[in-house]
Amino acid sequence: MSDDVWKRNEIESPCVKLCAIHPKAKICTGCHRSLDEIGNWSNMTPEARREVMADLPNRASLLKQRRGGRSARLRDI
């Protein structure tokens, strides 16, 4: 017996449900997509989504972690 409910064709997504846009890099700190990419995701072709997903690991370096309290915050200004 086949159960089509469990064979849905879901849209691939890198979303990890940790959504916050980095103020300087302007990308999501969870999935590393831009606001435009997030907003247009469901309208993009599977190929375009895969291109974005392939580039996401390269974007992680855009998010600087601040360490060192106040001095690190002042250094990033």
Side-chain angles (χ1 to χ4, degrees):
M1 178 150 100
S2 175
D3 189 351
D4 291 333
V5 172
W6 300 111
K7 294 181 181 178
R8 297 185 313 199
N9 188 12
E10 297 290 335
I11 293 175
E12 297 174 82
S13 174
C15 182
V16 294
K17 297 180 180 144
L18 296 172
C19 307
I21 300 300
H22 189 277
K24 290 185 181 178
K26 304 293 185 205
I27 60 174
C28 176
T29 59
C31 68
H32 303 149
R33 290 180 292 170
S34 70
L35 281 174
D36 286 340
E37 290 166 342
I38 293 167
N40 293 320
W41 198 253
S42 62
N43 296 322
M44 294 170 72
T45 65
E47 294 79 20
R49 287 192 299 268
R50 287 185 195 111
E51 277 184 34
V52 171
M53 287 192 289
D55 188 48
L56 296 178
N58 300 325
R59 300 177 186 186
S61 65
L62 298 174
L63 306 177
K64 291 198 289 188
Q65 285 188 327
R66 295 187 297 196
R67 302 263 183 223
R70 183 174 187 275
S71 63
R73 284 192 300 277
L74 294 175
R75 200 172 40 242
D76 284 347
I77 294 177

